[in-house]
Amino acid sequence: MIPKSGHRFSEKIARQEKLTMKPAPFIRHVPRTVAEAVKILAEVAPQDGRVLAGGQSLVPIMAFRLAKPAHLVDINEIEELGKVASDGKVLAIGACVRHAAFRKPVTEGPLGALLCDVARHIAHLPIRNRGTFCGSLAHADPASEWCLVAATLGATLVARSTRGERLIAAEDFFQGIMTTALDEDELLAEVRLPLLPADAKFGFNEFNRRAGDFAMSAALVTYRLQDGNMTDVHVGVGGAEPAPRRIPEAEAALNGQAPNDKTFRAAAAAAAKAVDAMEDHQTTADYRRDLVRAVVRRALEHSTQ
Ligand SMILES: Cc1cc2nc3c(=O)[nH]c(=O)nc-3n(C[C@H](O)[C@H](O)[C@H](O)COP(=O)(O)OP(=O)(O)OC[C@H]3O[C@@H](n4cnc5c(N)ncnc54)[C@H](O)[C@@H]3O)c2cc1C
């Protein structure tokens, strides 16, 4: 804003500031209900209108002008989206629930503890205070911890638009690097995670070079024990391929087996072999495959501690 002072110097500075505003101009809409939000989204989506949740991914992209949305539908004033609730079968997490909400267990049993364990690996405190669980899913970074949780546990994602409600299974939702099954006029209103049984074990591990960075590879495992052997095993890997997913080859190596070093190593080797690892400026595919082996084995080891 140009100050009212007639001082030439401050006017010059202000003009420069105006000229150097980081994002491209946009109109911010602030709906108070989901119905209002999806109505606005339907109108503005064809002009690259976007949902604004925590802004922790969208705002930096806008600041670099890699995205220039003409409209933002800011959902932060919609009270009904700020809730976490359990009906005894699933944990429903609304679109405005922040990463920081999970620093303490939000539900009893292993799922609450699992979310708590994973949340502390996401970025840094200021980002966790604003960024949202559903925003991470909608953004779909391959290394996102919440995307890995959703894929491994078999979450159901609830998309809302003026056409109604659509339920999308996590395995159909993540379609590639920052690509999802959401239509441009759909709001991800809620994610539903199945509660884990009281006796479920879990383990999570990720590798990054600096604390708070996105993981170069991450693994989440859950299972139960029956007569000392593992059953109902889920092994998920993130950060290695364009989207997180369960690895059936690793699960097959564990189901019906005792949880010990030998079976853990066999499952980790199966996961490393199964992934079609990405290459980037930091790593080769071989290196990333090796990381998958390490994070799967460590996640399994953590599950017994
Ligand atoms: C330095 C830094 C480090 C980070 N490290 C990590 C990390 O280690 N792990 C990690 O997972 N994340 C990390 N992040 C990203 C952070 O977790 C974001 O909070 C998250 O990715 C997006 O959530 P958000 O609520 O901020 O979404 P926003 O930034 O508001 O939106 C992101 C995208 O999703 C869309 N969107 C958001 N919510 C919805 C919705 N409900 N329905 C439809 N579309 C929606 C937006 O339109 C936008 O395209 C990091 C970010 C920074 C800046």
Side-chain angles (χ1 to χ4, degrees), residues 52-76:
L52 174 70
Q56 298 304 298
S57 294
L58 183 55
V59 171
I61 295 170
M62 287 173 61
F64 283 115
R65 298 205 176 197
L66 294 171
K68 297 178 193 169
H71 296 265
L72 292 183
V73 183
D74 183 341
I75 59 172
N76 287 280

Side-chain angles (χ1 to χ4, degrees), residues 84-139:
V84 183
S86 164
D87 65 358
K89 286 188 185 149
V90 298
L91 182 74
I93 301 167
C96 289
V97 176
R98 319 273 168 199
H99 308 317
F102 301 92
R103 69 180 178 278
K104 290 183 184 165
V106 293
T107 182
E108 286 178 8
L111 181 61
L114 183 158
L115 296 173
C116 200
D117 194 24
V118 172
R120 66 193 169 86
H121 293 276
I122 301 171
H124 310 278
L125 187 63
I127 292 160
R128 291 200 289 273
N129 283 341
R130 285 301 298 171
T132 63
F133 195 117
C134 288
S136 287
L137 302 187
H139 189 59

Side-chain angles (χ1 to χ4, degrees), residues 132-200:
T132 63
F133 195 117
C134 288
S136 287
L137 302 187
H139 189 59
D141 190 293
S144 153
E145 287 84 355
W146 291 144
C147 294
L148 173 61
V149 167
T152 308
L153 301 186
T156 301
L157 291 90
V158 183
R160 292 271 303 270
S161 69
T162 49
R163 288 166 280 120
E165 184 177 284
R166 190 162 73 101
L167 301 184
I168 310 169
E171 61 182 335
D172 301 324
F173 185 81
F174 300 111
Q175 298 189 339
I177 299 174
M178 293 171 187
T179 309
T180 72
L182 270 186
D183 286 334
E184 63 175 11
D185 65 340
E186 282 182 317
L187 171 75
L188 177 58
E190 182 178 294
V191 58
R192 296 176 187 158
L193 299 176
L195 292 183
L196 290 170
D199 61 351

Side-chain angles (χ1 to χ4, degrees), residues 273-290:
K273 192 171 167 207
V275 294
D276 187 8
M278 293 185 290
E279 278 186 331
D280 59 20
H281 65 286
Q282 293 192 90
T283 66
T284 62
D286 281 346
Y287 178 73
R288 214 173 215 112
R289 241 191 312 278
D290 225 34

Side-chain angles (χ1 to χ4, degrees), residues 209-267:
R209 291 205 171 119
R210 293 178 311 186
D213 279 1
F214 277 97
M216 290 164 73
S217 279
L220 175 65
V221 299
T222 67
Y223 59 88
R224 299 173 80 180
L225 287 175
Q226 199 172 35
D227 302 325
N229 291 329
M230 289 176 282
T231 176
D232 192 17
V233 180
H234 290 223
V235 177
V237 166
E241 296 180 329
R245 67 174 176 104
R246 285 175 68 179
I247 309 290
E249 294 84 347
E251 293 174 356
L254 295 163
N255 265 315
Q257 303 294 322
N260 58 38
D261 186 58
K262 191 173 162 215
T263 46
F264 290 173
R265 283 179 187 276

